[in-house]
Amino acid sequence: MNSTTGAASAYGISVEQEPIGHHKTRHTLTLLLRARRCPFECVFCDLWLHNHASATPVGSIPSQISDAIEQTFSRDPYRGTVPREPRWAIKLYNGGNFTDPLSVPETDWTAIADRCKPFDRVIVENHATMCGSRLLKFQEQLRPRLEVAIGLETANVDVLSRQQKKMTLSDFDRAAKFVLDHGMDLRCFTMLQLPYSDVKCSVDDSIATVQHAVGAGALFVAIIPTRHTTKAMQSLVRSGDHQPPNLRQLERALFESLRWTSEMKSDAVVIADTWDIDHVDHCSACQRHTIANIQAMNAAQRPCAISSCQSCGTEACDR
């Protein structure tokens, strides 16, 4: 099938060694599922590019999950079955909201839960205003532990209000409490340098957003450099309302966030998202070293010294 009628396979399938602590990782199967696109239409989002406007056909999501598991574990010794050891997590990312019935039909939940039985953890994404009774109904059908990923994006209320996200900071806080109160785990997506941000403050805003997410109970926080791949975002770049973040900003935001979690003795994992990181704006003289340092910090969950670069003017920092 094509993307307008519901695809037969996920558009992204990958196996990650996701950080869960100091040089500790979890085997994670990540699925980028084709589904009905998110109705919220946030300014910065490009996930809708891979999805479709019509409702997801019944049976499509379970089929995509089955196909992905088969593709991933078809070789010996697994023979299409998830191994019992080490423990695995599965991310069911539908480019929108898991509890949106037009994106993930409720009639498919039993089949989805059945396919996720071999995993130790199921991670879904959901808008803060959609975390309610439907989420509990899905949780009741699961054997694995449920983790809910919520896009906080920024704790800067002025910037957040201009993203068309239809969510306030209070909405996020209520959703976080709901998730935790009902025995689920919370992870958060945060964005570095959103449209309409003050570039001089964007790294500090990113750190403050990580702190807010951890304070709300998130066990995992991802800092995502805002992409400018859509026509809308490219228009904002031309108008001066958005300046794409660069690698050095991402490195600094991660460094300071990890320094803070270390000082607070927090168990929360904070990472810089490295998907498509080669395309983040960068200084050619220090790009490779900066990416390596970001990857090292992600793995170690400790701040690693930032080196200086005469070409881009970055100053060294080791504390």
Side-chain angles (χ1 to χ4, degrees), residues 295-309:
Q295 292 170 332
M297 286 192 280
N298 280 349
Q301 284 300 291
R302 296 287 188 276
C304 299
I306 294 176
S307 63
S308 62
C309 177

Side-chain angles (χ1 to χ4, degrees), residues 190-235:
T190 70
M191 305 294 292
L192 172 63
Q193 204 155 292
L194 285 160
Y196 310 109
S197 296
D198 182 340
V199 175
K200 295 179 181 178
C201 301
S202 61
V203 171
D204 288 339
D205 281 352
S206 181
I207 298 162
T209 303
V210 169
Q211 293 172 351
H212 189 97
V214 173
L219 294 180
F220 189 103
V221 183
I223 304 171
I224 304 171
T226 302
R227 297 186 289 273
H228 54 287
T229 52
T230 64
K231 290 182 179 179
M233 286 297 288
Q234 290 164 9
S235 178

Side-chain angles (χ1 to χ4, degrees), residues 39 41 91 97 107 133 137 141 154 233 238 262 264 273:
E41 299 182 349
K91 293 180 185 174
N97 307 289
T107 52
S133 59
K137 289 181 181 179
Q141 298 189 42
T154 179
M233 286 297 288
R238 290 193 297 271
S262 295
M264 298 298 293
D273 186 76

